Structures are given as C-alpha cells and as structure tokens.
Amino acid sequence: MIVEFGHFALMLALAVAVAQSVLPLVGFSRRDPALMAVAPRAAMLLLLLVAIAFAALTYAYLVSDFSLLNVVENSHSEKPLIFKISGVWGNHEGSMLLWALILALFGAAVAVFGGNLPQTLRANVLAVQGWISTAFLAFILTTSNPFLRLAEPPMEGRDLNPVLQDVGLAIHPPLLYLGYVGFSIAFAFAIAALIEGRIDAAWARWVRPWVLAAWIFLTAGIAMGSYWAYYELGWGGFWFWDPVENASLMPWLVGTALLHSAVVMEKREALKVWTVLLAILAFSLSLLGTFLVRSGVLTSVHAFATDPTRGVFILAILCLFVGGGLTLFAVRAGTLRQGGLFAPVSREGALVLNNVFLTVAAGVVLFGTLVPLVVSAFGGAISVGAPYFNTVFGPLFGATLLVVPLGPLLAWKRGDLLGALERLWAVFVAAALVALGAAWLNGATHLLAVVGLGIATWVLVGAFAELWTRARFRDVGLSVGIRRLAGLPRSAFGTALAHAGLGVTLLGIVSTSAFQTETILEMKPGDTTVVGAYSITFDGVRNAAGANYSELVATMTVREGGVVRFVVEPARRFYTARQMPTTEAGIHTHGLSQFYVTLGGEGRETDSVVVRMWDKPLVTLIWLGALVMMAGGALSLADRRLRVGAPNPARRAVPAVTAD
Amino acid sequence: MRLIPALAVLLALAGPALAVDPSERLADPALEARARLISDELRCLVCQNQSIDASDAQLARDLRAIVRERIAAGDTDEGVRDFLVARYGEFVLLRPRAHGVGLLLWALPPALLLMAGTGLFLAFRRRSAVTGPQGLSPEEEEALKVLSREEDERPNY
C-alpha cells in the first residue's frame, strides 16, 4: 500500500513538473504575475511528491518487501541496515529517483531562497528546472520504474553487488549527484537569461553561490569516490582514468572554470557570454556523465545498467538539453552586451588563462573518453588509458597550477606582473628549496617528482601570498597586520584555502606516485619480510563471518626497529547470495602515510598466500587536499557579499526584542 | 550470448584484485622492471580498463608471460608491443599510437591550446584597436596643463 502510494506520488510529481515547465513561461510571455507565481509553489510541491516516492521506496527496502522487483534484485533480508538504505540508490532505478529527488530539492531551494530574484527571472529559472524534472521523471516512469511489483514474490532477494556494500557507496553517489544536479541551477539561470536576453553582474552574484555549492559537493563526491576505489578495489591506485571517473572530472573542470569566470562577471561585468556558455557546458557534461554511466555504453566497475531502451531515452534527453541549450545560446548570445575592458595582464586576464587551461583540459578528457566509444561504434577498437591521460593531462594541469598563486596578486583591469612575481619571491625560494631537498634526498632519478613537489609547494605556499600582501605585515607590523587580516572578507580566505588544497592534493599525488615502495611475495604463516622501514610478520589466517558473507582474515604484525608498530588485517570475502569474492585491503594510517596490504590467491606451497604490500608516503594528502578545497569553498559561500539582498538577521531580531 | 563477456568482466573485477604473481618474475631485475613498465601500459582485453599488470584474469597472466618471454628473447620494448599488436590489434595498447585516430588524440591538446591562444590574441588586439589609447586633443592637453598647474600650486594634504 505504501509502495503504491509512492508510485502514485511519482506520477503526480510528473504532472506537477509539466505544470512547472509551462505555466511560468506563459506567465512570463503575458506578463501575468499570478501565473509566474505558480513556479515556486509548484517547485515546493514537486519536492514533497518526489520525497514521498523516495521515502516509499526506502521503506520497501527497510522491510525487505520482496514483492518489488527492484528490492529483490538489489537487497537481501540479512543485509546490514545501512546497506539496506544505501541499496536504495545502489542500483539504476533507485539512483535515478535520487537524481530526481536532488533536482527537486534544488528547485525548491531556488523557490525558498530566491525571494530576492526578479519575478520574471525566478519564474523562468524554475520553468527550466521544470523541464529537466519532467524529462527525468518521464524517464523513470517509462523505462526505470522502481515500483514494479512481482506477481509471485520470492522468499529472498539477490543482494546488492558486494563491491557496493560499503559506507563509501552510502555517501559517494548522493554527493556526486548533489554536484551534478547543482549545476542544473546554473544551467537554468543561463537559459533564463538567454530567454530574457538580459544579463548583468547581479546575475553572476545570484548564480555563484549555487555553482559554489555544487562545486563543493562535486569535489567531495569525486574525492570520496577516489578513496572508495582506493580501499575497496584493492589495486592500490587512487585514480584510474576510468570513463566513469572522467565523467565526474569533466563537470568539475568546467564547473571550476565557471566559478572563476562568474567572479569576473560579478566584479567587472566582463566575460558574460563566456560565463553563460560555461554554465550550459557544466550541466551538459553532468548530463553526459549521467548518460555514460546510466545508459550502459560503458561496462565498467561503476556501470551496472545495461538496457538499450534506457540508453536511447537518456541520449534523447542529452540531445534535447545540450543541443537546445547550445542552439539557444547561438541564437541569443549576440543580444548580451559585453562589459568591462581589461588588459591581458590583469586579474581578469589571469582568470581567462585559468579558464582556457581548464576548458582545454576538460576537452581533452572528453575527447579521450568518447573516442573509444565512437571508434567501436564504427567497428574498430582503440584504447585510451591512464598512460595517455597522465601524459596529456599532467602538463596541462601543471601549467594551470603555475599560474594559481599569481592570479590573486594581480590588480583588476591592469595588473603588474613583475610586481606580483616580486611579491612571490619567498614562495619561489620555498618551492626551489623543497625541490632541491627532494632531489638531494632521492638522487636525480625522479626528475618529474622533483618538479612536481616544487609546483606543489609553489601552489600551497603561494596560496597565502594574497592574504600576506593584503594584511601588509611588512609595513604595519604584526599586531596591526593581524587585525587587518581578521578584517579581510571570508572569500579571500576561501580563495587561499581552496588554492592551498590543490597544492596539498598534488603533494600527495606526487609523493605517492614517485616514492611508494611495493613488495609482492608469497608468504607462509611465520614468515617475515621487509618493506621500506618496516618488517612485516605474517602471523596466520582465521575464518570469520559477517552478516551476509564469510571471510578469510590474515593477521600481519608490522614492526619498526624490533618494536611492534601496528597490526593490519587484509581479508578475502565471499558473499554467499551473489557467490562473489571481494578483497578487503588491510590499511594502516601512520601520520599522513598509509601502509596498504592486499591478499591474493594461494601460493605454490601449501598454506602460502600471495601478498602485495605498499608503503604509500603522504597518500592521505590526496583526499585531505580535497577537504581543504571544500573548506575553502564553504568559507567563500559564507561570505557576506554572496548574501547581499538576503533578509538581514540583525534587522529581523529587532521586533523580537520589542515584543518582550 | 551477451551474458558470457559480462560474466567474464564480473569475474575479472571481482576476483582477488592482485596481480604479478611472484612465480612469473624474471630473474634479472632490470629485465623484470622493463616487463613491469610495459605491462602497465597494456590492456587486459577481457577486463574493463585494467592493465595486465593490475589484473588477475587468466588472459592477463598469459599476456604477462608473453611479455616476459619476448623480453627474455631479446626484444626491445617496442618489439614486444609490436608482437602483441600483431596478435591482438592496437586495442591492447593503453597508450594509443600516434597515427589515425591516435594522431588526433595526441594532436588535440596542443591544437586546442593554440586555438585558444590565437583566439585570445585576436580578441585582445581587436579590442585594443577599438578602444586603444588615443592621443588627447589639443583642448584636452590644455585643460590637463591647467589642472596640473593648479595641483602644483596648492599645498598637498
């Protein structure tokens, strides 16, 4: 009954989405405020209805209602509670419903927080959101309905793919979708601006918080996914240039570019057309990401959907929104007037350079990801793998990072490059010292790593150069400097932190890639081996059982200088319902580094097992850097400037006091 | 019949993800290091986007054995790759070769950067041609002189 209620709510949601798509536009063309006012109410109602549908499906999972096909295929009565919940979106149908839910959430957020928007803009933005909702709800109801019942329900479900039974999966897709779908707001704003043929600095100010929020979530989602792949797949790598990973990286690159070009537009009214284009592209790439993963054109770790009818439907959605958006852009972009002029060497110039590098990088990843698909469609076969992407993406992103500390030190309109470089001399010295130190410690064998460490230091330390300069410590002394520092807007700290996070991540990537030690060998209980500074003793194996799996756990004691440091327990699991084995890496974090052990098959001698061990120096920095970037984004989001026009809390507090 | 490749993929992915069996190693560390580097850039054809160095699939084992055989037989790195390409096609190379579509892949990044650079250069030149600094008219020069004289005569606060 509850399930039917959810199913019905989903159908109603489609009807509401259609109304939200059409009525505000009619209202806009007739200048009818009543019709335009439908938009926010429809958006709220849509959220309510989709949330009911989602809650109903979650309920079905919680009570293991095996009369639902979707629950049978992806759940099991003995599955731990958290994976019963995360299993809701651990499959195609459920994840699409989550997509629709987040879309509705963002739409409602615009309705609630968009009170300061001009009425026509708000109506048009919500109408565009309505189109997207309509498309996705229709997609779910016609091709991917999670509410289908079975006439003869089985006694037990088939369980969720064991690789996905992990806390990482519980969080990764929602974060990623919050990022993807967040860009739909930027897209809706862009289309609304093109429809109205009017765009100004205020537009950028309205759009930026949404882009920033989406960017924070996307950063979190990508980092989370990377860490999940790192510990769950047991390959020891953190990024595989898998098409599914690329699908999330592309919107991130373009979204980062959008974030920066929106700053230029907000401050200087320049780059309007370009910013609108980026807003369309960022969401197009998000849709493309959904298409790549969901249509089954790729069959890879993440892609667990294979059904051509769905593929064609998603392709149609993709063509409609990307093609339609770009066509509208081509027709209407000319009506947007260009604003502020600037010299090539200026803050704007640096941001344009950043945009060029980021979009070229995104273009390269896009091409490299799609080429194998296109070639195979014509009967050929070509591989574009990690070696290609590393070779091409590395220098491109390295060049981008070189410019990062410079940009914030340049003035708007016309900057002083020499002056900026002069202010960075200390940063340069620090970077050179780190690079030389690394070269001295490791010999000249790792030239690339030495350069990488230098760039990482340059970005990490250089990120704070703007704060240092603006506090004017050298001119005004420490105490006044600190006061000046405290008076700087939060967005300045946000910029510094986000840029520093890039440096931190790069530091982790370089030191892990270049300086990790790897050992692969056969071990028998009682054997001892040496990895880096550690000696590892294989104590033995034992059998254990989880809620829905059995496992073989190996115990390894790690000693340093004869003293026991820690114990790692890698394991091999066997999930009974799906008859699938998985490896669970044994990971121990020491400081910022990690010791990583996986178990392989049986060795040639009796009782022996193949063991692969890594000591990965500073590997955690890869993901800690992402956290720092997110913190930077959050600080920027908290900046007052972005809330100008929002109700002032101080003023609201006054009546409360007088009421006493 | 589509089920069989799908199953193979699943098994390859789900199997204990550990590769490079110690028993496969070459005795000479220099040759073994070359073998690792080469196998890191060869595709395990039945897996998804995994190199033969990282995969535990049977095919990956066989390919690793072939790589080591060819190296032991004295092939150059390129020779080993040629041998595998002749058998399995260029699909086996994770780093595409620079001809045909591969050439497009390698030419794209510099081409894009060049296009963007030219575009920016033209945009800036056109813009400075339209709004570039024009000389002051005689009247303006005169006004400026008057202004700067006034500035000189007044005390500077």
Side-chain angles (χ1 to χ4, degrees):
Chain A
M1 186 58 207
I2 288 181
V3 168
E4 270 65 39
F5 192 57
H7 195 171
F8 184 61
L10 198 62
M11 293 177 189
L12 273 185
L14 177 60
V16 171
V18 171
Q20 188 185 329
S21 315
V22 180
L23 294 183
L25 279 184
V26 177
F28 170 70
S29 64
R30 291 195 195 154
R31 295 287 179 272
D32 179 347
L35 271 180
M36 284 194 275
V38 168
R41 282 171 216 162
M44 304 292 290
L45 189 58
L46 187 65
L47 174 64
L48 181 72
L49 290 169
V50 180
I52 289 174
F54 193 83
L57 186 62
T58 310
Y59 170 82
Y61 268 83
L62 284 179
V63 300
S64 292
D65 181 349
F66 292 128
S67 66
L68 271 190
L69 179 63
N70 191 252
V71 181
V72 173
E73 283 178 342
N74 300 290
S75 198
H76 193 277
S77 58
E78 284 164 22
K79 199 167 61 168
L81 178 68
I82 174 161
F83 300 137
K84 281 186 181 164
I85 299 173
S86 71
V88 175
W89 56 81
N91 62 85
H92 172 78
E93 291 82 358
S95 72
M96 284 291 94
L97 190 57
L98 178 69
W99 215 100
L101 176 67
I102 293 176
L103 188 63
L105 191 71
F106 272 107
V110 171
V112 171
F113 298 113
N116 57 344
L117 295 177
Q119 195 185 25
T120 54
L121 183 62
R122 184 166 69 163
N124 285 333
V125 165
L126 286 172
V128 178
Q129 285 273 311
W131 306 345
I132 307 172
S133 291
T134 306
F136 273 86
L137 290 172
F139 172 68
I140 293 172
L141 283 169
T142 53
T143 74
S144 316
N145 196 333
F147 293 111
L148 295 183
R149 291 273 198 191
L150 286 174
E152 290 168 35
M155 285 302 290
E156 192 49 271
R158 283 176 228 158
D159 208 356
L160 181 65
N161 185 340
V163 179
L164 304 177
Q165 292 194 27
D166 186 275
V167 188
L169 180 85
I171 326 168
H172 167 61
L175 287 175
L176 207 58
Y177 283 4
L178 279 167
Y180 277 1
V181 180
F183 287 130
S184 74
I185 307 270
F187 176 82
F189 267 94
I191 298 296
L194 288 172
I195 292 175
E196 292 194 33
R198 206 179 73 93
I199 193 166
D200 49 26
W203 182 92
R205 187 164 287 203
W206 287 314
V207 170
R208 232 169 79 78
W210 299 104
V211 176
L212 202 49
W215 180 89
I216 294 170
F217 285 122
L218 194 55
T219 308
I222 293 174
M224 186 69 233
S226 157
Y227 191 65
W228 174 71
Y230 167 78
Y231 72 74
E232 181 66 31
L233 297 181
W235 306 345
F238 53 88
W239 190 260
F240 304 97
W241 293 106
D242 188 271
V244 177
E245 291 170 320
N246 296 350
S248 65
L249 182 64
M250 291 184 281
W252 188 85
L253 290 168
V254 174
T256 310
L258 172 61
L259 207 54
H260 289 85
S261 79
V263 175
V264 177
M265 187 169 154
E266 183 194 341
K267 298 267 188 182
R268 301 270 309 119
E269 288 229 20
L271 302 187
K272 285 180 188 174
V273 175
W274 176 242
T275 306
V276 168
L277 181 61
L278 281 181
I280 295 174
L281 287 182
F283 183 61
S284 300
L285 289 170
S286 300
L287 277 181
L288 183 75
T290 311
F291 167 71
L292 284 178
V293 180
R294 288 289 146 218
S295 67
V297 291
L298 318 159
T299 318
S300 86
V301 199
H302 305 59
F304 26 99
T306 31
D307 188 347
T309 54
R310 288 172 181 168
V312 171
F313 201 120
I314 305 189
L315 193 61
I317 294 180
L318 194 66
C319 290
L320 193 69
F321 284 100
V322 179
L326 290 177
T327 308
L328 187 64
F329 175 79
V331 174
R332 296 299 294 263
T335 61
L336 307 176
R337 274 191 313 113
Q338 271 297 4
L341 295 172
F342 54 88
V345 177
S346 60
R347 180 85 66 98
E348 296 95 316
L351 288 166
V352 166
L353 197 61
N354 142 312
N355 271 232
V356 166
F357 277 125
L358 286 171
T359 36
V360 168
V364 167
V365 176
L366 177 68
F367 197 67
T369 308
L370 293 186
V371 155
L373 300 179
V374 175
V375 169
S376 75
F378 288 100
I382 187 172
S383 296
V384 184
Y388 169 79
F389 286 111
N390 285 334
T391 311
V392 170
F393 193 80
L396 260 177
F397 214 69
T400 317
L401 291 176
L402 280 182
V403 195
V404 166
L406 219 57
L409 291 181
L410 293 172
W412 293 103
K413 290 177 90 167
R414 188 181 298 271
D416 174 10
L417 188 60
L418 275 180
L421 284 172
E422 223 171 85
R423 270 178 268 170
L424 284 170
W425 72 267
V427 180
F428 183 79
V429 170
L433 279 180
V434 167
L436 287 176
W440 183 69
L441 280 176
N442 295 284
T445 46
H446 294 297
L447 186 63
L448 217 58
V450 166
V451 174
L453 289 179
I455 296 183
T457 316
W458 168 255
V459 175
L460 177 55
V461 182
F464 298 100
E466 191 205 2
L467 295 181
W468 175 266
T469 316
R470 284 176 75 173
R472 288 175 46 203
F473 278 113
R474 223 184 310 164
D475 304 336
V476 298
L478 191 64
S479 59
V480 182
I482 288 175
R483 234 179 302 142
R484 284 183 61 91
L485 196 63
L488 289 179
R490 283 189 198 149
S491 64
F493 290 96
T495 305
L497 268 187
H499 287 176
L502 279 173
V504 172
T505 295
L506 184 64
L507 209 59
I509 292 175
V510 173
S511 66
T512 304
S513 313
F515 305 119
Q516 69 178 3
T517 41
E518 181 197 32
T519 305
I520 310 166
L521 76 170
E522 285 181 22
M523 291 182 99
K524 278 190 296 189
D527 282 358
T528 296
T529 187
V530 174
V531 178
Y534 299 109
S535 82
I536 295 100
T537 308
F538 181 22
D539 299 324
V541 292
R542 67 187 146 83
N543 286 305
N548 50 353
Y549 58 87
S550 59
E551 64 179 344
L552 184 76
V553 184
T555 308
M556 305 201 171
T557 309
V558 181
R559 292 183 175 82
E560 192 180 9
V563 184
V564 176
R565 286 287 174 206
F566 50 87
V567 173
V568 279
E569 300 202 315
R572 275 206 316 253
R573 280 188 189 163
F574 189 75
Y575 283 79
T576 24
R578 289 225 175 188
Q579 297 281 302
M580 257 173 85
T582 65
T583 51
E584 297 294 311
I587 301 176
H588 178 85
T589 309
H590 50 99
L592 296 168
S593 312
Q594 283 186 334
F595 190 75
Y596 187 112
V597 186
T598 52
L599 290 184
E602 305 194 340
R604 281 161 302 175
E605 293 176 51
T606 42
D607 283 353
S608 77
V609 63
V610 177
V611 182
R612 193 170 187 174
M613 292 180 270
W614 287 272
D615 192 31
K616 295 173 170 290
L618 302 186
V619 67
T620 55
L621 288 185
I622 297 174
W623 306 289
L624 289 178
L627 282 182
V628 175
M629 284 183 230
M630 287 159 57
L635 259 183
S636 271
L637 200 56
D639 194 290
R640 236 196 110 259
R641 179 164 54 86
L642 291 180
R643 286 179 282 124
V644 167
N648 190 338
R651 214 177 303 154
R652 241 187 323 183
V654 173
V657 173
T658 48
D660 268 6
Chain B
M1 276 297 100
R2 277 175 55 210
L3 199 66
I4 291 171
L7 273 181
V9 166
L10 267 185
L11 283 178
L13 285 173
L18 186 117
V20 200
D21 198 314
S23 59
E24 298 171 359
R25 276 188 210 142
L26 292 172
D28 183 344
L31 294 187
E32 174 64 22
R34 270 179 59 203
R36 291 293 302 275
L37 282 179
I38 297 176
S39 14
D40 196 37
E41 300 200 345
L42 292 177
R43 182 184 208 113
C44 162
L45 300 156
V46 297
C47 319
Q48 274 300 319
N49 201 26
Q50 236 183 333
S51 74
I52 60 169
D53 190 60
S55 170
D56 226 27
Q58 188 54 45
L59 180 82
R61 279 170 202 276
D62 297 346
L63 288 181
R64 285 199 298 269
I66 294 177
V67 167
R68 283 167 175 78
E69 255 172 52
R70 299 311 309 172
I71 288 182
D75 275 14
T76 59
D77 292 1
E78 203 51 37
V80 176
R81 282 191 278 267
D82 285 340
F83 183 84
L84 285 165
V85 167
R87 279 191 163 191
Y88 298 99
E90 297 213 354
F91 187 58
V92 79
L93 301 177
L94 284 173
R95 182 193 292 274
R97 286 183 165 165
H99 64 84
V101 181
L103 186 65
L104 270 181
L105 279 164
W106 288 106
L108 183 79
L112 280 181
L113 278 180
L114 203 68
M115 270 164 51
T118 321
L120 281 181
F121 176 76
L122 290 179
F124 274 117
R125 213 183 49 174
R126 197 181 52 212
R127 215 184 255 187
S128 52
V130 175
T131 58
Q134 293 148 349
L136 298 178
S137 64
E139 295 84 50
E140 285 168 333
E141 290 277 7
E142 195 54 42
L144 185 66
K145 259 184 217 157
V146 173
L147 279 173
S148 45
R149 212 178 301 134
E150 278 173 10
E151 195 70 29
D152 288 342
E153 283 159 8
R154 262 185 292 169
N156 199 355
Y157 291 108

